[in-house]
Amino acid sequence: MTKHIFVTGGVVSSLGKGLTCASIGMLLERRGLRVRLQKFDPYINVDPGTMSPYQHGEVYVLDDGSETDLDLGHYERFTNSPLDCHCNYTTGKIYQSVIDKERRGDYRGRTVQVIPHVTDEIKTAIKRLAREDVDVCITEIGGTVGDIEGMPFFEAIRQFALDIGKQHCLYIHLTLVPYLKAAGELKTKPTQHSVQELRKIGIQPDVLICRTERELPKEDQEKIAQFCNVERRAVIEERDKELTVYEVPLSLVNNGLDELIVQKLGLTQAKPLEIGDWKQMLEVIRHPEHEVTIAVVGKYVKHHDAYKSVYESLFHAGISHRAKVNIKRIEAEKIEQDGAEKFLSGVDGLLVPGGFDRRGIGGKIEAIRFVREHKIPFFGICLGLQCATIEFARNVLKLEEANSTEFNPATPHPVVCLLDEQQQITYLGATMRLGSCECKLKTESKAFAAYCQEIVQERHRHRYEFNNQYRAMFEEKGFRITGEHVKKNLVEVIELADHPWFLAVQCHPEFKSKPTASHPLFRAFIGAGLQYRHEKKIEPNSRIRGTFSPALAGS
Ligand code: GLN
């Protein structure tokens, strides 16, 4: 029978519930258990796909095309648990389904109410993951206890234990234990209040995970245990990590969390923990042998989480090369004001990530021109490919007004234009080209050299594409199309013949990178950056290629 872990949060938001869930999932997996992870987001949007990255951070895309919360990115980076559209529900999605049922007459004339109809819908969403082949299902409730919009979710998880038996459920509550400088001590009161709030709605937490800046003294742990009616050994400290979030699972192991869960849920089939490779990876992070600086030029660089998976993937690629990756975040509009040289002259590579809307496009194009001309490695992702196309059209093909119809519908040279299948679409939600698509690579290409595979699957999220009418004109000048969606005749990967490493993709490879298995394209890009840096050092003014091969370190 599948066991359930419910993870809630209190005191403040942004405590890192997603990371904690991902870490718990990873630890259980590495004790030989089969795990599924799921997140409930209490906001009303049906999914985050239509939300601004400023509000919400990155939209994380799954293989099946679901546009989900970025916490699912943590789940995927830490575990091998399969994710699909049943792994992220919002209030909007739950209500949409309840309202559809009501319109179909499924409720047979009854008054439709939050309890039981909405809560039943939530419970069904939990049960959907709890298939026979799953040992533990971890469900994270977004927001904090006490939020009005979160109430139906809390009520549903309360009822869930009554339905299947408390012995099969574990409630883990994550709280903050703040350090007050003026008092010189950690404060447990917010945790006590938060647990009180949870108990008021009928949930007694089994485990408390306390986020702290400093070590949680024994007395404080005892006090929390006593006031919150939780076993002393179930008060777990989770201190801020200086180096990387990938240290979180280890600190939870050191504080006994995996064993506690195994015992409390009676997971007798659990095996001894195996995390040797993870520890090894952390050692590499602690002692890098190389260093490389990558510029990321985007629209939302100020927002910490808007390009979350891109930053993580660069970091993972760094691990593969035993290199520390310094990321220089540059706002595209700044380049429009002050020029590319000021920001890019010292960097070893440029990455232009995905995005929407025309703001900052000029800056991205200028940045790409700079690295193309100076032979600095370039990696474009989705909008990055489209900007590289516009740049090449304007500055190499001399089509000065070339553009994407997204930014100028009346351009005389629409080198990037709307997909045919997108022409009639007016609804914004979940209507892009979404999810995993097949791409065929040319064997004579940097992309193939990176993947070592001719057919690859990557996730997509876009409406516009390279305009095939311009294909011959581009190819003639060394703009190589090295990857294609064969059936639909869509350009997927482009490279420049006359450049050490200039590659852009229409997909989002950043959604398939893990710290223990970096994505091949990111790995190749960081390898090219290290190579560039090495050559710059030995011959600052020449383009002579050295023999340094950091790429081998991680392959
Ligand atoms: N705005 C572009 C499109 O819709 C790029 C999207 C993206 O970068 N994800 O095609």
Side-chain angles (χ1 to χ4, degrees), residues 353-357 381-384 386 404 406-407 416 432 461-465 506 508:
F356 296 83
D357 181 51
I381 293 179
C382 204
L383 180 65
Q386 299 172 0
S404 161
E406 182 180 9
F407 316 129
V416 175
M432 284 187 244
R461 181 171 185 254
H462 66 112
R463 289 186 204 282
Y464 296 82
E465 60 160 332
Q506 191 56 76
H508 286 275

Side-chain angles (χ1 to χ4, degrees), residues 294-298 310 314 349-354 377-381 384 522 525:
I294 301 297
V296 174
V297 173
V310 169
L314 287 170
L350 165 70
L351 189 151
V352 175
F378 168 72
F379 189 19
I381 293 179
F522 278 89
F525 172 54

Side-chain angles (χ1 to χ4, degrees), residues 196-300:
Q196 260 171 32
E197 197 64 42
L198 204 55
R199 290 168 71 184
K200 244 194 260 171
I201 51 180
I203 298 173
Q204 166 63 53
D206 300 294
V207 179
L208 289 177
I209 300 184
C210 303
R211 289 295 316 277
T212 70
E213 258 176 66
R214 312 186 166 219
E215 189 185 340
L216 191 63
K218 267 213 160 72
E219 315 82 76
D220 282 342
Q221 276 182 11
E222 266 152 27
K223 196 161 138 190
I224 292 172
Q226 200 168 34
F227 280 98
C228 299
N229 197 26
V230 168
E231 267 183 89
R232 160 72 189 76
R233 63 175 183 144
V235 178
I236 308 279
E237 172 200 288
E238 189 190 318
R239 218 178 316 162
D240 294 355
K241 299 288 161 299
E242 267 164 34
L243 190 66
T244 159
V245 294
Y246 299 115
E247 288 178 303
V248 173
L250 249 72
S251 91
L252 295 178
V253 170
N254 292 339
N255 293 322
L257 184 63
D258 62 314
E259 190 50 37
L260 186 73
I261 293 174
V262 164
Q263 283 180 19
K264 281 195 177 273
L265 282 176
L267 294 160
T268 46
Q269 70 275 46
K271 300 198 176 88
L273 186 70
E274 269 183 33
I275 47 170
D277 61 329
W278 199 270
K279 283 186 175 164
Q280 224 171 346
M281 178 229 352
L282 290 173
E283 270 314 291
V284 174
I285 300 173
R286 274 184 209 118
H287 306 291
E289 289 164 16
H290 315 288
E291 195 170 346
V292 66
T293 300
I294 301 297
V296 174
V297 173
K299 190 165 103 179
Y300 316 107

